[in-house]
Amino acid sequence: MQPRRDNMNLKIIIFILLSVGLLSSCEYAYTYSYSVTNSSDTTVDVKMKTSRIDSVFKLTKYDTRILFMTEHGIEGSKGPYSRDVNKDLVIFTVTKGQLQSKRDYLKNNNWAFEKGVYSATITNAEF
């Protein structure tokens, strides 16, 4: 009866090794979003281009909107991770009437990042 017991022990050991291997190599795909709040005194136009989207959005006074969502591919388990916004955004301009924002939204420091959400607030001071 010894061979049967050895066979069972071998199966248990293989199962444990496979389980540990799978758990330690887990990778994740997180969803990221770009959210903009218009805190200026009037409606603004946001022109945005990504690899998939080319659009203009109107944001009324005090409106907050998620403009798009994306993924950064397979990542480690400690994410979501911030990355250069230029990898997601090709064009991002804000206009109020005939005035264009002086703020460069293609720079990382103009976006706050928390838990997979890139957010920016449009203010009167940037025009």
Side-chain angles (χ1 to χ4, degrees):
M1 260 227 213
Q2 186 68 14
R4 186 170 193 195
R5 181 178 225 181
D6 287 345
N7 193 17
M8 182 60 97
N9 287 341
L10 183 60
K11 286 180 181 180
I12 291 172
I13 290 170
I14 290 173
F15 175 77
I16 290 171
L17 289 175
L18 286 174
S19 297
V20 169
L22 287 174
L23 290 174
S24 66
S25 68
C26 287
E27 295 177 339
Y28 299 84
Y30 301 99
T31 300
Y32 296 87
S33 63
Y34 281 78
S35 173
V36 178
T37 300
N38 179 11
S39 290
S40 74
D41 60 1
T42 189
T43 298
V44 297
D45 293 321
V46 175
K47 179 178 172 63
M48 181 188 71
K49 182 175 183 175
T50 70
S51 61
R52 296 177 290 138
I53 300 168
D54 188 357
S55 191
V56 176
F57 299 92
K58 286 198 177 297
L59 291 174
T60 59
K61 184 173 154 181
Y62 305 120
D63 188 15
T64 297
R65 187 178 302 174
I66 295 175
L67 300 180
F68 79 103
M69 298 174 82
T70 188
E71 291 182 358
H72 296 166
I74 301 298
E75 300 175 297
S77 62
K78 294 184 181 180
Y81 302 95
S82 177
R83 74 173 185 178
D84 190 346
V85 297
N86 286 294
K87 294 189 180 211
D88 293 326
L89 300 171
V90 177
I91 295 171
F92 198 98
T93 58
V94 178
T95 55
K96 183 169 94 167
Q98 298 298 316
L99 301 174
Q100 183 167 330
S101 173
K102 296 176 236 163
R103 193 171 174 192
D104 185 355
Y105 286 93
L106 296 179
K107 290 190 176 179
N108 293 317
N109 62 348
N110 288 315
W111 294 91
F113 179 81
E114 186 175 340
K115 298 181 183 175
V117 177
Y118 294 89
S119 59
T121 302
I122 300 164
T123 64
N124 285 325
E126 63 190 80
F127 295 98

